């Protein structure tokens, strides 16, 4: 039997480095499940439960018989809740016909790609990037054209490099700010410069803004706020990070109504409406538990500081302090090791799991991604173990400053 070239490509040679990188996480999970004391800093999930106010709304919905199909684009109250989120978090007034409810940002990206890309189209992507965009962009048969994000440039996109990468087949730019894995936030001026390129070449902007509420230094700016970009932007949001609801699979795409009409076709084919009880949870999150977004942001700012302050004492590790989100990219080349060897040895010898940078793009060889989605005491302990490891590798006798 023959499989589609889509699934074959995703399991194939091009993605071997990504699979190798993620195998570190797989091994760590296996050892943790077997009862070992593993500190898992390899994935982007919260270590605490969803707020009880939100859980109660879902229970009430289930007890009240909310068990049936819903409209493709979401129920009116759910779309209105997304409108309210957009006003509060993004600062733009929109109407419910700008919203398509989707089961998480991942599905939002997939839906957007299926609606605006054709086979052979090129999409400008940044390296490093959130790795699942590859499968999203390849689904309609489009191809990725990578532009590097350079650490010396604060992992910011360079509009001049983007302009050079645009060719006759370019159809879209895949944006992600705040960024996974680097924690960089694209400033308005850079966004505007990228927007100028999009306008000049009539490109879509697929804008993953899933970390929009988790900025520590300066507020997130959506491309929708920049003049002339609204009609070409599909902005993607979800409850996963903002409200600690990764397992609920609820998110939405904001776009102009004519675009949302097209998303409706895709959603009717792949989904046929999100669960009504999850939609009630979304409404409750935004209407009654919005304070969770600032609580979570402040918690992560402290976590970022704990891990960054501790690791700053290790000259063999280089990083810039993330401005947002839950991840830190660390250049480990000063230890004399590459990223895969560093991550594997850190797990084998110190029971700490981080992800080799190759999991996010070829440019990240020599980096590891550390998720600070765990409590401060565990992060401090992780920092001690990392310090011991680095010290053994470099023979420098360095010590983390925490605890
Ligand atoms: C940049 C980015 N986009 C999308 C997602 C997926 O989010 P969701 O749970 O809403 O599908 C993640 C999850 O880690 C992410 O980091």
């Amino acid at each position: 039997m023959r499989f589609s070239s889509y699934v074959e490509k995703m399991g194939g040679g091009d993605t071997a480095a990504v699979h190798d990188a993620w195998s570190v996480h797989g091994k760590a999970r296996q050892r943790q499940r077997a009862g070992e004391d593993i500190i898992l800093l390899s994935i982007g999930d919260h270590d605490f439960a969803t707020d009880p106010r939100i859980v109660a709304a879902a229970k009430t919905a289930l007890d009240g018989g909310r068990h049936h199909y819903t409209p493709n684009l979401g129920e009116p109250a759910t779309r209105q809740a997304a409108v309210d989120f957009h006003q509060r978090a993004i600062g733009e007034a929109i109407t419910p016909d700008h919203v398509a409810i989707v089961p998480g940002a991942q599905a939002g990206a997939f839906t957007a790609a299926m609606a605006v890309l054709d086979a052979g189209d090129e999409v400008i992507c940044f390296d490093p990037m959130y790795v699942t965009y590859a499968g999203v962009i390849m689904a309609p048969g489009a191809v990725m054209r990578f532009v590097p994000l350079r650490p010396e440039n604060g992992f910011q996109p360079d509009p001049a490099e983007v302009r050079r990468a645009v060719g006759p087949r370019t159809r879209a730019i895949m944006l992600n700010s705040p960024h996974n894995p680097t924690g960089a936030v694209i400033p308005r001026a850079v966004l505007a410069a990228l927007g100028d390129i999009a306008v000049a070449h009539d490109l879509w902007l697929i804008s993953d803004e899933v970390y929009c509420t988790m900025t520590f230094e300066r507020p997130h700016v959506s491309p929708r706020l920049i003049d002339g970009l609204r009609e070409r932007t599909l902005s993607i949001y979800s409850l996963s990070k903002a409200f600690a609801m990764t397992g609920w699979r609820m998110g939405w795409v904001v776009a102009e109504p004519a675009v949302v009409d097209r998303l409706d076709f895709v959603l009717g084919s792949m989904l046929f409406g999100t669960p009504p009880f999850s939609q009630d949870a979304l409404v409750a999150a935004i209407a009654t538990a919005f304070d969770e977004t600032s609580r979570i942001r402040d918690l992560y700012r402290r976590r970022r500081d704990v891990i960054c302050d501790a690791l700053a004492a290790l000259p063999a590790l280089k990083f810039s302090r993330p401005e947002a989100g839950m991840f830190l990219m660390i250049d480990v080349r000063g230890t004399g090791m590459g990223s895969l060897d560093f991550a594997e040895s850190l797990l084998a010898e110190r029971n700490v799991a981080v992800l080799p940078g190759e999991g996010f793009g070829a440019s990240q060889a020599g980096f590891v991604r550390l998720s600070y989605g765990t409590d401060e005491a565990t992060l401090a302990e992780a920092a001690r173990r990392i310090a011991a490891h680095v010290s053994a590798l470099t023979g420098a006798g360095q010590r983390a400053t925490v605890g």
Side-chain angles (χ1 to χ4, degrees), residues 166-187:
V166 173
R169 296 303 308 263
T170 309
R171 177 73 77 93
I173 303 176
M174 186 79 215
L175 291 173
N176 172 214
S177 176
H179 187 245
N180 174 7
T182 67
V185 177
I186 304 181

Side-chain angles (χ1 to χ4, degrees), residues 44 104-106 130 133 176 180 208 210-211 238 240-241 246 249 327:
Q106 189 64 48
Y130 173 56
Y133 295 155
N176 172 214
N180 174 7
D208 179 348
V210 77
Y211 294 101
S238 89
S240 291
K241 315 289 175 169
T246 54
R249 312 311 303 134
F327 306 109

Side-chain angles (χ1 to χ4, degrees), residues 26 28 69 75 80 105 108 128 132 169 191 204 210 230 262 275 282 315 322 325 333 372-373 386 389 394:
Y69 288 132
E75 294 178 330
Q80 180 59 48
T132 67
R169 296 303 308 263
L191 259 186
W204 293 103
V210 77
R230 265 185 298 281
R262 276 30 177 236
L282 183 149
R333 287 171 294 184
Y372 42 94
I386 292 170
H389 195 56
T394 60

